[in-house]
Amino acid sequence: MASAKIRKGDRVVVLSGKDKGKHGDVTQVLPKDGKVVVSGINVMTRHRKPSQANPQGGLDRFEAPIALSKVAVEDPKTGKPTRVGFEVRDGKKVRVAKKSGEVING
């Protein structure tokens, strides 16, 4: 199985769409769907009718998944989007930012 290039906890930059240029942390990865959930990105609003569990009703805001192709890992050194590569350092396989060569935590 190939290693994932974007993982939970990574800091990412949105490349396209209504949130283009925004930064956020990955809270969930959905590999089967090819999507990720990023905090503060792609926030949707759902109108909820009053119910037994929620007698007030109202607006429900939540982060919807966004396609993996629309986000890129943020370079730890520059804060700009970068691609991810893999290297073996000290006998361990680590993820490396292509732009700066820095190891990506996570």
Side-chain angles (χ1 to χ4, degrees):
M1 188 172 118
S3 296
K5 296 204 175 194
I6 296 180
R7 296 182 184 160
K8 183 177 176 178
D10 282 353
R11 186 117 175 109
V12 295
V13 181
V14 180
L15 301 175
S16 65
K18 67 177 185 178
D19 294 318
K20 181 178 179 177
K22 290 186 182 176
H23 301 252
D25 295 316
V26 175
T27 57
Q28 188 180 10
V29 180
L30 308 166
K32 286 186 179 176
D33 300 330
K35 296 183 179 217
V36 289
V37 177
V38 183
S39 61
I41 304 296
N42 200 24
V43 177
M44 298 289 155
T45 305
R46 180 159 286 156
H47 296 260
R48 297 285 188 188
K49 289 174 81 172
S51 64
Q52 287 273 328
N54 183 12
Q56 184 65 34
L59 298 175
D60 184 17
R61 288 184 172 77
F62 61 97
E63 286 121 8
I66 187 170
L68 271 170
S69 60
K70 291 185 175 236
V71 297
V73 175
E74 183 181 282
D75 193 309
K77 207 172 199 176
T78 63
K80 293 182 179 177
T82 183
R83 291 179 301 156
V84 178
F86 294 94
E87 287 181 10
V88 177
R89 294 190 182 175
D90 302 325
K92 279 189 95 176
K93 184 178 177 182
V94 293
R95 294 181 305 147
V96 178
K98 290 279 192 176
K99 276 191 179 171
S100 65
E102 292 281 315
V103 174
I104 298 169
N105 297 338

